[in-house]
Amino acid sequence: MEMDKLVALCKRRGFLFQSSEIYGGLNGFWDYGPLGVELKRNVKEAWWRDMVTGHDDLSVPAGGPSTFEMTGLDCTIIMHPQVWKCSGHYDLFHDFMVDCRESKRRYRFDQIRGRWAEAKGQRIFVTTAVAASEEQADVERRALKYFNLRAKDADSIAWEGDFQPLPEIDEPSQVLAPDARALDTLTAPREFNLMFKTTVGALGGEEDAAFLRPETAQGIFVNFKNVLDSTRVKIPFGIAQTGKSFRNEITPRNFTFRSREFEQMEIEFFCHPDTSHQWYQYWRDRRMQWYTALGLSNERLQLREHDTDELSHYSTGTADIEYAFPFLPPGEFGELEGIAHRGDFDLRSHMEGKLDEKTNPLQVALGADGKPKWRGSGKDLTYFDDEAWEREKGELGFKSFKEYLKQRKSEPQPGAPFQYVPHVIEPSAGADRATLAFLCEAYTEDEVPDEKGKLQTRTVMRFHPRLAPIKCAVFPLVRKDGLPEVARDLYRTLKAQMPVFYDEKGAVGRRYRRQDEIGTPYCLTVDGQTLEDQTVTLRDRDSLEQCRIPLDDCLAELRQRIG
Ligand code: GAP
C-alpha cells in the first residue's frame, strides 16, 4: 500500500486534516475530521470497554494467575511540577538534537541517516531527514548538486554501503547535513527536553512554570492512594486512563505517527511483587491479542521483547507491540504500544523522592549537597493487605499490626509480607498510532464488477465493524414508488441506535463505492420487493454477498454482525 494514497483518502473523505491548515499548518499537529473523529472514538471506546467496563472481575482470565479488578481515572493535563521531577521527566526526558549552522534547521540526531558517496576524488557522507521511501532519491539529488554534476552523470557517483544513522559516523568534517550545501555544518549533539512548558497564574515567574503532561501514567501513580481509599479495590487491580499527552518532538513525522499532541491509552496494573512477572506476561499477550481481534494482521504485527541488557535492573521485562507501517522500509516496524514491568520504581519515587535508576537496590537520587535531589510527597503509598493480615495474625501470635511492626522494625521492610509497595505492569498504548495502524491495515484496492459486469478498481477500507465510523448505509433503490419513505423509516429506526448514513443520490453501484471507500461494513437497500414482502437487501462490504432479511430484523442483524 502506498502511503500517499492513504493520506489523500484521509483528507478527501474527512478522516484527518493538518491542524491550522488554512494558515499553512503546524508541524506535528493533526485534526480528526468528521469520519476520523468517529474512528478514533471507536478505537478508544473499544479499548475502554475491553479493558475496563467489560472486564469480568470474577473469573480468572486465560493466561493470568488470578482474578483482578479494573477501574478508571481522568486526570488533568497540567499537574504539580514536582510530579515530573519525581517521575524523572524533568531530568531525563530528552532527545539529542543537532543544529545546522548553514540552514538554521534543527534535527533529531538519531533520525538523520545517510550514505557514503564518492566522486571527483572526494568521499562524503550525504545525509537526509526525509521518509525512508524517499531517502535514496533525496541523497542522489543532493550529491549531484554538491559534486556539481548533471543528472545524466549520476553514474559517476560511487555509492558505498547502505544507509547508516548519523550517530554511527565519526568523521563530522565529511558530513553533508540534510539541508546544507557545504560540509561540516552540524553542531555537536545537545540534549533537548521534550516537555512543553507553560505558566500557571498571572505572575509568570519561573516559580509558576508548569508542564503539559508527556504521558498520562503519572496521573495514575499520584492518585494511587485516592483510588485505594475511595473504592474497595484489592490488589491485583488496574487503573486505566485515556487522554492527551504532549511532547515537543524535534522532528515530528510519518503522518500522525510522531505527533506533538497525541492521545494515550494507559493502564497501571498494581500487583504483588511475587506474581508480577506472571502478570507482565499476561498483559503482554493480552494486549497483542487485542490488536489482532480488531483486525491487524499477524504478518504486520510483532511482539518484540527487549533484550535483558536493555532492561533496567528493577524490571523483569519490557516488550513493544510493533506494526509494519507502510512508510517504513521493508522489514522495519514502528511501536504501537509498550508493556513494561516497572517494579516499584514509580510509587517509591513519588513517596520517597526521585530514585536513581542506576542504583541496586534502588536509592533516592542525591544532589550535590547530599540531600534528595527531588523530594517525594512523603505520603504513604504502600498497600496493606488487610485480608491476609486478618487471616494470619492469630497464627503469628500478634494482636495488632502495630505490634507486628514494632517487633520487625530492624528488617528492611518491616510491614512485609502484609504491607508492601506494589509492583507495576504498564501497558501503554497510543490512540493515534493505533488509529493509524487500523487505517493502514484497512486500506485495500480490489476489483469488483460494475452494473454492466465490467471489472472496476474499488478502494475499500476494511475496518473491523466495531471500528468503522459508519456502521450501515440505507438506500432506496430508486427515488420513487414509495421506496424513499420506507428507507427513511428504516434509517430513523437504526440511527437511534448506531451511526447510519442515508443516501438516495446516484446509481446504487456508485453509492456502494462511496460507502466502501469510508469502510461502511453493511448497506441495506429498499427495493420493489420490499413493498411486497417487507424484506431488504443486506450487502456485505468485504464478501460483496447480498442476502434478503426482514425489515423488522435489520437492527438485530446489524447488532449481531457488528459484535
Ligand atoms: N508511560 C509510558 C509511555 O508513555 P512511551 O513508549 O513513551 O511510554 C507510549 O509512549 C505510547 O504512546 C507509544 O507506544 C505510542 O503509541 C504513543 N506515543 C508516544 N509518543 C508519541 C508521539 N510523539 N506521537 C504519537 N504517539 C506517541
Side-chain angles (χ1 to χ4, degrees), residues 103 105 107 111-117 124-147 149 151 154 157 159 163 176-181 253:
S103 68
R105 294 201 175 205
Y107 310 94
Q111 282 178 350
I112 302 182
R113 288 165 34 106
R115 276 186 86 183
W116 285 103
I124 63 168
F125 188 70
V126 189
T127 66
T128 177
V130 301
S133 55
E134 292 153 30
E135 277 179 339
Q136 185 56 31
D138 193 48
V139 292
E140 277 175 18
R141 184 182 56 75
R142 299 193 41 257
L144 283 172
K145 214 170 190 172
Y146 178 82
F147 290 119
L149 292 168
I157 302 177
W159 292 96
F163 275 93
L176 183 66
D179 295 283
R181 284 188 301 261
R253 53 162 61 184

Side-chain angles (χ1 to χ4, degrees), residues 306-312:
H306 289 207
D307 292 337
T308 32
D309 58 356
E310 286 179 79
L311 296 177
S312 351

Side-chain angles (χ1 to χ4, degrees), residues 78-234:
I78 295 175
M79 299 164 73
H80 194 292
Q82 198 67 12
V83 170
W84 308 112
K85 292 178 176 159
C86 288
S87 70
H89 288 82
Y90 190 78
D91 288 334
L92 302 170
F93 192 56
H94 51 241
D95 277 337
F96 283 96
M97 53 146 197
V98 286
D99 288 307
C100 177
R101 285 182 287 263
E102 184 191 307
S103 68
K104 308 286 176 234
R105 294 201 175 205
R106 177 168 287 180
Y107 310 94
R108 217 173 98 174
F109 188 40
D110 63 344
Q111 282 178 350
I112 302 182
R113 288 165 34 106
R115 276 186 86 183
W116 285 103
E118 192 168 349
K120 297 183 173 176
Q122 194 184 8
R123 182 173 169 269
I124 63 168
F125 188 70
V126 189
T127 66
T128 177
V130 301
S133 55
E134 292 153 30
E135 277 179 339
Q136 185 56 31
D138 193 48
V139 292
E140 277 175 18
R141 184 182 56 75
R142 299 193 41 257
L144 283 172
K145 214 170 190 172
Y146 178 82
F147 290 119
N148 201 11
L149 292 168
R150 289 160 189 253
K152 68 179 174 52
D153 300 321
D155 287 350
S156 61
I157 302 177
W159 292 96
E160 184 190 307
D162 215 340
F163 275 93
Q164 280 175 274
L166 184 60
E168 286 176 14
I169 305 301
D170 49 16
E171 295 168 73
S173 60
Q174 299 311 306
V175 171
L176 183 66
D179 295 283
R181 284 188 301 261
L183 295 180
D184 198 12
T185 58
L186 290 176
T187 59
R190 278 184 292 151
E191 284 176 3
F192 173 78
N193 194 297
L194 300 184
M195 282 197 295
F196 279 101
K197 206 170 181 184
T198 187
T199 306
V200 175
L203 294 176
E206 198 43 35
E207 66 279 11
D208 298 321
F211 301 93
L212 306 193
R213 68 180 175 198
E215 60 170 29
T216 57
Q218 296 305 322
I220 300 179
F221 291 125
V222 301
N223 274 295
F224 171 72
K225 204 74 183 166
N226 281 336
V227 172
L228 274 186
D229 294 347
S230 60
T231 66
R232 292 170 58 204
V233 284
K234 298 272 174 221

Side-chain angles (χ1 to χ4, degrees), residues 446-449 458 516 539-546:
D446 62 7
E447 292 204 316
V448 296
R458 90 169 164 154
D516 290 341
R539 181 238 194 207
D540 180 287
R541 175 197 68 199
D542 298 339
S543 67
L544 298 175
E545 271 172 21
Q546 300 199 4

